[in-house]
Amino acid sequence: MTKIIAFNVRTSEEKLVEDWAKTHQVQVDIASEPLSLETVEQVKKYDGLTLAIGKALDPEIYTLLHQYGIKQIAQRSAGYEYFDLDLASKNDLIITNVPSYSPESIAEFAFLTALALVREFPLINQRVNNHDFRWLPDIRGKVLKEMTVGIIGTGHIGQATAQCFKGFGCHVIGYDLYQNDEAKTLLDYRENMADVLADADIISLHMPATRENYHLFDAEAFKQFKTGAYLINTARGSLVETTALLDALDKGQLAGAALDTYEGEGQFIGKTIEDQAIEDPTFERLLAHPKVLYTPHVAYYTDIAVTNIMHNALDAVMEVIQTGDSKSRVN
Ligand code: NAD
């Protein structure tokens, strides 16, 4: 029987693994510790593996996996920026991701946080909690239907997000390095990003964290935004230079930002640190900022997405074992 080892499986995901194993008649064992130099030896007994990493693997792990006869690593997320793809290829390892597990989950969340910002919902909520029920001008909102929304990155999630805003009657414009026909039915493409930044009241980011995209949204970029615009980032933290964003919010260049991702999130995400100090002054500044709506990388976190991520990753493991390749290969 084929044997797969699954790392980084949360207790709440174990049933999904069991269901998949039963349907496919495959043995899937759940590792109790993450994949590391200390734990890598256990993969020797297996035909394939899946994991969900939020930081880079030790480079030696690639060599050891190859030595142990492993042919692939199936990452359980869309992003795969923590992998050394060249090193993986040198060691005949196929890296797969889960490219599109529920674009609507992220799109609806981007839309939700945009609506919350323009209707000053966090402030209204805070006032109600303090039993302050007044109609003060700072909770007076704006109407989405009157707004132009700029989608940067018009792939799976960008299109689903455009659909949400279009449904509310917004004028949706967009920019992508590569325009695509499906997106053209949902938004008006602009030839360069500056034109989108200049015209949009809300900018929603939906591109990957590549080397070229690192800090694409810096002080210079924020100067190109329409004064009083909102930034929504459900893509990747590294796209935004956080201090430049906070400065732009302080100056009133931007009216608000909804951030589901933060460039230094690795040490906090998925953990509770209630009783500890946050040793990251930028993150502290971000959390305390009255114009920032921060959420801890939860845009994807829905029932359907969690199921699809696990099952599609396990499918990719089997695909490589059975065919020697995968349609979700990224290297
Ligand atoms: P996708 O590959 O379908 O689309 C990405 C698009 O971005 C592509 O069309 C690409 O051409 C475009 N692009 C890349 N660089 C660009 C640039 N500099 N300017 C303009 N366009 C650019 O990807 P997707 O599935 O839509 O995912 C988009 C992002 O969402 C990824 O970064 C992914 O990691 C992130 N994501 C976040 C969550 C979450 O929970 N917050 C969940 C899933 C995915």
Side-chain angles (χ1 to χ4, degrees):
M1 189 191 261
T2 305
K3 291 206 279 183
I4 296 173
I5 182 160
F7 292 90
N8 321 100
V9 176
R10 293 189 287 261
T11 312
S12 59
E13 295 172 329
E14 287 175 3
K15 174 85 171 56
L16 299 174
V17 175
E18 268 170 45
D19 292 346
W20 185 92
K22 214 167 160 185
T23 311
H24 293 79
Q25 292 293 297
V26 167
Q27 181 180 327
V28 187
D29 294 337
I30 295 171
S32 53
E33 297 290 329
L35 181 63
S36 67
L37 282 177
E38 286 75 48
T39 62
V40 66
E41 213 180 320
Q42 60 188 305
V43 307
K44 274 181 177 170
K45 290 187 286 178
Y46 294 92
D47 304 297
L49 72 92
T50 172
L51 45 63
I53 52 166
K55 59 179 185 184
L57 293 169
D58 189 299
E60 211 184 318
I61 289 181
Y62 294 89
T63 321
L64 290 169
L65 290 176
H66 176 64
Q67 279 173 21
Y68 299 157
I70 294 288
K71 301 267 181 279
Q72 54 64 237
I73 304 177
Q75 164 74 358
R76 296 197 301 278
S77 72
Y80 48 87
E81 64 269 29
Y82 297 111
F83 291 91
D84 184 332
L85 299 182
D86 292 337
L87 191 55
S89 298
K90 272 185 203 136
N91 285 288
D92 294 328
L93 289 166
I94 295 172
I95 310 292
T96 58
N97 69 341
V98 184
S100 181
Y101 44 82
S102 171
E104 294 74 20
S105 296
I106 298 100
E108 289 176 12
F109 197 86
F111 177 79
L112 160 78
T113 54
L115 190 52
L117 282 183
V118 303
R119 293 306 302 260
E120 298 292 350
F121 195 73
L123 187 56
I124 294 170
N125 212 17
Q126 190 187 316
R127 296 262 165 87
V128 170
N129 287 338
N130 293 332
H131 295 179
D132 178 349
F133 307 120
R134 288 172 298 168
W135 288 329
L136 296 177
D138 56 1
I139 61 164
R140 202 166 64 200
K142 298 186 178 74
V143 169
L144 272 184
K145 194 175 181 218
E146 293 173 357
M147 294 188 158
T148 297
V149 177
I151 305 285
I152 313 288
T154 60
H156 298 100
I157 299 172
Q159 285 173 43
T161 307
Q163 181 97 61
C164 291
F165 284 105
K166 196 178 170 192
F168 261 57
C170 302
H171 176 214
V172 188
I173 59 178
Y175 173 71
D176 198 299
L177 300 174
Y178 308 98
Q179 299 190 358
N180 68 69
D181 290 341
E182 292 90 347
K184 282 181 188 162
T185 65
L186 299 163
L187 53 83
D188 297 328
Y189 270 118
R190 296 287 159 89
E191 290 308 318
N192 57 66
M193 194 167 80
D195 287 353
V196 178
L197 301 186
D199 285 351
D201 303 290
I202 297 174
I203 294 287
S204 195
L205 308 186
H206 301 287
M207 69 264 244
T210 57
R211 205 171 300 147
E212 296 74 32
N213 289 343
Y214 180 75
H215 282 185
L216 195 63
F217 293 86
D218 58 7
E220 280 312 302
F222 292 126
K223 280 186 201 149
Q224 297 175 41
F225 276 55
K226 199 168 165 178
T227 306
Y230 298 86
L231 175 75
I232 315 295
N233 186 7
T234 53
R236 281 294 180 264
S238 65
L239 300 173
V240 175
E241 189 179 354
T242 311
T243 49
L245 168 66
L246 295 171
D247 292 346
L249 289 164
D250 285 343
K251 285 183 206 144
Q253 243 171 338
L254 266 68
L259 308 174
D260 189 51
T261 54
Y262 161 61
E263 54 184 322
E265 71 185 16
Q267 52 180 321
F268 308 110
I269 289 308
K271 296 178 195 145
T272 172
I273 52 163
E274 276 165 281
D275 48 356
Q276 292 163 38
I278 291 175
E279 284 168 7
D280 175 343
T282 306
F283 192 39
E284 267 192 309
R285 187 177 161 206
L286 182 156
L287 291 177
H289 204 290
K291 292 179 179 172
V292 174
L293 172 56
Y294 173 76
T295 49
H297 210 128
V298 289
Y300 85 98
Y301 197 49
T302 62
D303 294 341
I304 184 76
V306 169
T307 305
N308 287 347
I309 292 169
M310 182 61 76
H311 289 178
N312 295 359
L314 287 164
D315 288 344
V317 180
M318 281 306 278
E319 199 186 352
V320 178
I321 293 172
Q322 289 172 343
T323 71
D325 208 347
S326 167
K327 54 186 177 311
S328 18
R329 175 182 194 149
V330 295
N331 64 328

